[in-house]
Amino acid sequence: VSGTGLTEMGTELLSLPCLHTLLAKNNRLGGPGSLPKGLEQAPLARSLRVLNLSGNRFSEVPPALLQLRGLRSLSLGGNRLHGIPPDIQELHSLEFLYLGGNFITAIPPELAKLPSLRYLVLCDNKIQSIPPQLAQLHSLRSLSLHNNLLTYLPREILNLVHLDELSLRGNPLVVRFVRDLTYNPPSLQELAGRTIKTRNVPYAPSDLPESLVRYLSLASNCPNPKCGGVYFDSCVRQIKFVDFCGKYRLPLMHYLCSPECSSPFSSASQSSTSQSESDSEDEASVAAHRMQKVLLG
């Protein structure tokens, strides 16, 4: 009965004891009396498995829906919801929950008490934080959080070992990070200083002005253990997008002291060590303030 302009469902619905799927999306449901009274006591409450009420006008999740204990799929996307009721935890059989395209600002910790939940869609809302309790959703395979207001993720989310998809695009967590990136190429003085240090060019205090001698004494070792180069003023940064469990996926900026750092033909890279293992070793050798990671998935 989708797209039919429905403003309410009659009591006739209660006389369908074997109804398995009810699709009533893109209607005008949401006002008083949209759902028939007594829905939670009707046989339908035990038989219904799939309910799609997306694209309607609900400003809150109807309490009667939270009594449909047999539900496995509930879609309320594109409504006017401002929150998720804690009683959502009563839907123990729920495997798929779609609440995207609403005005939800917070996720209740009780949502983590859905043991069968595999797909959770909360995209296109106004969510600012993720409760760490969400890590208790051990069955979760897909978590869609794109286009929200997230600035960080709780570390506990790493415990979602079965998670295959984590969508975070369109959040300040990602957008602000990329927008603020700057790339400052090294100066000619720095390039000359690097050459002197890496090639061991001999010099004495009598050969150079005191300021340059002092400058050369400020050389720092490149954090890449496979490089052995140096740098001075230019910030050394390794920035990579990583998935939810910490494995590298996509380099965003590999700006170190010299091209040899990332060259596949460098002597250090000719070892039989796999790329993922090399990345892990590099990360372990880099000081925390020189390594940045963006959790993406």
Side-chain angles (χ1 to χ4, degrees), residues 87-281:
D87 287 344
I88 194 78
Q89 63 181 316
E90 301 298 331
L91 301 178
H92 297 295
S93 300
L94 206 61
E95 299 177 5
F96 178 89
L97 179 59
Y98 190 103
L99 297 174
N102 282 287
F103 304 96
I104 298 170
T105 58
I107 303 173
E110 289 80 4
L111 190 63
K113 297 181 180 180
L114 298 176
S116 303
L117 195 63
R118 295 168 59 87
Y119 301 93
L120 177 57
V121 182
L122 296 169
C123 60
D124 299 290
N125 277 288
K126 300 182 181 297
I127 298 170
Q128 300 182 35
S129 63
I130 303 299
Q133 290 86 349
L134 232 57
Q136 300 170 18
L137 293 172
H138 301 300
S139 298
L140 200 63
R141 298 293 188 272
S142 178
L143 177 57
S144 296
L145 293 167
H146 53 271
N147 298 331
N148 275 286
L149 302 175
L150 297 172
T151 57
Y152 73 96
L153 292 180
R155 182 174 181 82
E156 288 81 0
I157 204 169
L158 299 176
N159 295 328
L160 295 173
V161 295
H162 297 295
L163 197 64
D164 296 324
E165 297 177 350
L166 175 60
S167 178
L168 292 172
R169 67 181 186 275
N171 280 280
L173 167 69
V174 178
V175 176
R176 185 182 304 161
F177 183 91
V178 175
R179 185 188 61 218
D180 292 345
L181 281 178
T182 57
Y183 183 87
N184 298 316
S187 64
L188 292 178
Q189 177 176 277
E190 170 137 354
L191 291 175
R194 291 180 182 182
T195 301
I196 291 174
K197 285 294 187 179
T198 56
R199 301 300 175 88
N200 293 317
V201 177
Y203 66 91
S206 59
D207 300 328
L208 300 171
E210 182 182 351
S211 60
L212 291 182
V213 174
R214 185 167 56 252
Y215 179 81
L216 289 172
S217 69
L218 298 176
S220 298
N221 293 326
C222 174
N224 184 352
K226 297 179 176 59
C227 174
V230 299
Y231 70 97
F232 293 87
D233 299 319
S234 295
C235 181
V236 177
R237 308 176 79 180
Q238 296 185 60
I239 302 175
K240 298 185 179 184
F241 286 154
V242 300
D243 66 2
F244 70 94
C245 61
K247 295 295 184 181
Y248 293 137
R249 288 287 183 86
L250 177 67
L252 174 64
M253 184 167 70
H254 201 121
Y255 177 37
L256 297 175
C257 68
S258 67
E260 285 74 18
C261 280
S262 55
S263 171
F265 302 106
S266 63
S267 58
S269 65
Q270 293 176 1
S271 65
S272 60
T273 306
S274 68
Q275 182 62 42
S276 61
E277 290 174 344
S278 298
D279 282 341
S280 299
E281 292 171 2

Side-chain angles (χ1 to χ4, degrees), residues 280-296:
S280 299
E281 292 171 2
D282 288 348
E283 180 183 357
S285 304
V286 176
H289 69 280
R290 292 176 182 163
M291 170 68 77
Q292 289 182 264
K293 294 190 294 182
V294 184
L295 200 62
L296 282 185

Side-chain angles (χ1 to χ4, degrees), residues 22-91:
L22 175 57
L23 308 180
K25 57 184 180 179
N26 301 328
N27 283 300
R28 300 176 185 175
L29 299 170
S34 291
L35 301 178
K37 293 182 178 180
L39 177 62
E40 58 273 21
Q41 283 86 32
L44 180 65
R46 294 187 295 273
S47 66
L48 200 60
R49 298 291 181 267
V50 179
L51 177 60
N52 191 329
L53 295 174
S54 293
N56 280 284
R57 302 177 179 180
F58 290 100
S59 58
E60 62 178 18
V61 179
L65 299 188
L66 303 176
Q67 303 300 318
L68 304 178
R69 304 299 172 83
L71 272 186
R72 295 178 183 172
S73 175
L74 175 60
S75 298
L76 282 166
N79 276 277
R80 302 171 181 177
L81 303 180
H82 285 79
I84 305 172
D87 287 344
I88 194 78
Q89 63 181 316
E90 301 298 331
L91 301 178

